[in-house]
């Protein structure tokens, strides 16, 4: 499936929220609580989050990208400053999601490349278990650093990965 990668604009926030929530439902059903995934307010909260990020006063704080196919947003990515309790990384990959139908098309790779400079030390948290995502990040030079946490928001066990 052909796609393009571009920088999002404020009018993309609702479609980005839809991708965010839909891909969570595709990927995390059984890992995240159903009441969180099925919360009718979830899309609105994600839409507000994306609006805030896209319209951030400092456009260099967050790098965002969308994958678009046939005029429809089918993937999203966001990297930004390190987490407050992070290690020695320069950047943190916060979000990288694409619809399952886009897996294997290169959209995920293109999104990653659009938001993360390979010369910068980058960290991320990946759900565990999530073997497909973990393999993708390993292929891209990320290595689990042994740090594991359970996310307070959604209860998902996550593994920290670093690319130096």
């Amino acid at each position: 499936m052909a796609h393009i990668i571009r920088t999002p604009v404020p009018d993309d926030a609702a479609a980005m929220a839809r991708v965010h929530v839909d891909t969570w439902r595709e990927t995390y059903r059984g890992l995240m609580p159903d009441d969180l995934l099925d919360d009718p307010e979830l899309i609105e909260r994600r839409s507000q989050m994306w609006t805030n990020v896209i319209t951030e006063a400092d456009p260099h704080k967050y790098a965002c990208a969308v994958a678009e196919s046939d005029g429809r947003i089918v993937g999203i990515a966001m990297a930004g400053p390190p987490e407050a309790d992070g290690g020695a990384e320069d950047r943190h990959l916060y979000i990288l999601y694409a619809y399952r139908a886009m897996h294997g098309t290169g959209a995920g790779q293109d999104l990653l490349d659009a938001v993360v400079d390979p010369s910068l030390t980058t960290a991320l948290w990946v759900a565990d278990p999530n073997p497909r995502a973990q393999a993708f990040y390993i292929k891209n030079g990320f290595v689990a650093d042994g740090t594991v946490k359970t996310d307070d928001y959604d209860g998902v066990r996550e593994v920290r990965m670093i690319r130096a």
Side-chain angles (χ1 to χ4, degrees):
M1 193 179 278
H3 63 273
I4 62 164
I5 303 297
R6 64 175 177 78
T7 301
V9 296
D11 285 347
D12 291 327
M16 293 171 76
R18 171 54 60 193
V19 171
H20 201 156
V21 171
D22 286 349
T23 57
W24 271 17
R25 290 173 177 162
E26 282 183 344
T27 304
Y28 300 128
R29 183 76 64 187
L31 289 177
M32 283 184 187
D34 286 345
D35 60 335
L36 186 148
L37 292 172
D38 298 330
D39 182 346
E41 307 272 323
L42 186 57
I43 291 194
E44 179 55 37
R45 286 196 308 272
R46 290 293 150 191
S47 183
Q48 187 59 55
M49 181 208 86
W50 282 111
T51 298
N52 292 344
V53 169
I54 294 167
T55 59
E56 166 70 40
D58 178 1
H60 302 290
K61 184 174 182 179
Y62 292 100
C64 296
V66 296
E68 189 176 290
S69 181
D70 295 326
R72 184 172 155 249
I73 293 176
V74 294
I76 56 176
M78 178 180 76
E83 292 184 313
D85 62 346
E89 75 265 18
D90 300 311
R91 298 291 278 172
H92 191 91
L93 179 64
Y94 288 96
I95 294 169
L96 177 56
Y97 296 113
Y99 283 116
R100 187 174 290 139
M102 296 303 294
H103 291 180
T105 67
Q109 185 67 57
D110 292 342
L111 285 165
L112 178 67
D113 294 344
V115 299
V116 174
D117 179 338
S119 70
L120 298 176
T121 299
T122 303
L124 61 88
W125 291 99
V126 62
D128 187 42
N130 190 342
R132 183 180 186 93
Q134 290 172 1
F136 171 81
Y137 292 124
I138 290 167
K139 180 183 93 169
N140 278 279
F142 288 85
V143 177
D145 74 353
T147 308
V148 177
K149 72 174 184 176
T150 299
D151 190 284
D152 293 333
Y153 175 69
D154 55 33
V156 173
R157 181 180 191 271
E158 297 177 330
V159 173
R160 181 177 149 104
M161 299 183 82
I162 307 275
R163 181 173 68 185

